[in-house]
Amino acid sequence: MSNFLQKFGAYWLGKLERLGRATLFLFHLVAALASLVKRPSLLVKQLHASGVMTLSIVLVSGLFVGMVLSLQFYNTLIDFGQEERVGTLVALTLVRELGPVVTGLLFAGRAGSAMTAEIGLMKATEQLSGLEMMAVDPFKRVFAPRFLAGFIALPMLAAMFSAVGVMGGHLVGVEVLGVDANAYWSQMHSSVSFTHDVCNGLVKGLVFGFVVSWISIFEGADCIPTSEGVSSATTRTVVYSSLAILGLDFLLTAVMF
Amino acid sequence: MNSRTSEILVGLFMLLFLLAMFVLAMKVSNLTSLNSSEGYTLTAKFENIGGLKERARVSASGVRVGEVTRIIYDPENFEAMVTLRLDKAFDAFPLDTTASIYTSGLLGEQYIGLDPGAEEDFLQNDDEITLTQSAIVLERLIGQVLFSRSGGS
């Protein structure tokens, strides 16, 4: 019995210790951000790796999510003769919830796991130690540009996701199912608020970008430097990021709307 | 990939983001109608506003001329005070214009309809529309019908 208790306690102590390390890591990371002013080319390179490379999957999923939403809402609303509301519903769902959340999940899977694997492999092959030997701070050179790039790229991708999703909704709702095009856009226009809906969606994207980049980089830098360690760190990145996104989304929605 | 190509792609990425924001701001949401700072405001007191909400439509002859910006309860007169913001283009409503609360369709949202009167002078900024007609509350209407029927028999 006491053996079991000891193991249980040790398990949670380990978790807490890891959380503490992650927090310290975050402070370190934020402090290193200032050095990017001197070398913006590092940031551009990472924006390419995490933003541009994720773009295609985000745009394609945005299109399909918008199309599916339009189809589902249409089928329900037609019973009430309110199918003109499809535009409003599609836009609100995308801008408020699905845009940031689905983009965040895709980003964690596509860019976050890549960041973890890259940094983990750098650690396993002792490139990070090598940098330190050459008096190059890996926080400034490796971690900070990736962190800022993820932080910036996610809300941008979320905005694109929502915009493309609305287009997809138009494609199915108006072109295929025959909702009046003017009604689709004007109903949407009159019930979506820029400050309340669009900007809050962007804030969600920023929060998710912050959390996903933090988790991805920390898992990479904290992994056991073996091939097995890197693989389990990559898995953890995706799992923790997804859970964090879904949990935070609920909290943010409760506060915002 | 050399750095020039990736820089170009990141630039395109930024442009695409701006385009998406433009779509979200102009087509999806109502940023365009928000910046009607050149409009003017009017107030109107209603006995009962029913389900009227802020940002509801204000229309004249069915054409949108402005929106409801604020609804507060006036505890002195026991009435609802509604502030309307009208477009600058529609600044010629006579002083005896009536403001009524209508419902679009049977289950639709409520809006304010303006019916112009015959006065020569026009409503100015911060004026009050004195002639108002409250929203029709369905329960009250049913109550009246039942009452009048039982009274008649």
Side-chain angles (χ1 to χ4, degrees), chain A residues 205-217:
Chain A
L206 279 175
V207 173
F208 297 161
F210 183 89
V211 173
V212 171
S213 329
W214 174 27
I215 293 178
S216 312
I217 295 169

Side-chain angles (χ1 to χ4, degrees), chain B residues 39-146:
Chain B
Y40 63 107
T41 55
L42 298 173
T43 55
K45 286 186 179 131
F46 291 94
E47 224 172 87
N48 191 331
I49 57 164
L52 192 74
K53 295 199 179 69
E54 287 181 9
R55 288 183 44 221
R57 183 159 61 99
V58 176
S59 60
S61 309
V63 181
R64 186 190 176 102
V65 294
E67 64 175 19
V68 174
T69 49
R70 208 157 74 104
I71 299 173
I72 50 168
Y73 181 65
D74 176 5
E76 283 174 23
N77 299 310
F78 311 111
E79 281 178 328
M81 244 235 320
V82 177
T83 310
L84 319 174
R85 167 158 221 105
L86 301 194
D87 248 32
K88 204 189 177 190
F90 312 105
D91 59 351
F93 283 104
L95 283 178
D96 54 346
T97 295
T98 313
S100 331
I101 298 178
Y102 295 122
T103 311
S104 52
L106 197 57
L107 300 166
E109 58 199 16
Q110 293 191 299
Y111 66 97
I112 291 188
L114 297 178
D115 300 306
E119 284 270 357
E120 304 262 306
D121 294 328
F122 298 131
L123 287 163
Q124 303 296 322
N125 193 22
D126 291 333
D127 273 1
E128 190 191 330
I129 302 177
T130 42
L131 301 171
T132 59
Q133 192 188 325
S134 289
I136 295 171
V137 181
L138 207 57
E139 291 91 326
R140 195 175 285 179
L141 200 67
I142 294 170
Q144 274 170 2
V145 170
L146 290 178

Side-chain angles (χ1 to χ4, degrees), chain A residues 48 156 188-190 192 194, chain B residues 26-30 32 55:
Chain A
H48 178 260
M156 295 174 73
M188 184 189 300
H189 194 87
S190 65
V192 181
F194 184 77
Chain B
M26 295 302 161
K27 288 215 82 171
V28 175
S29 71
N30 51 11
T32 37
R55 288 183 44 221

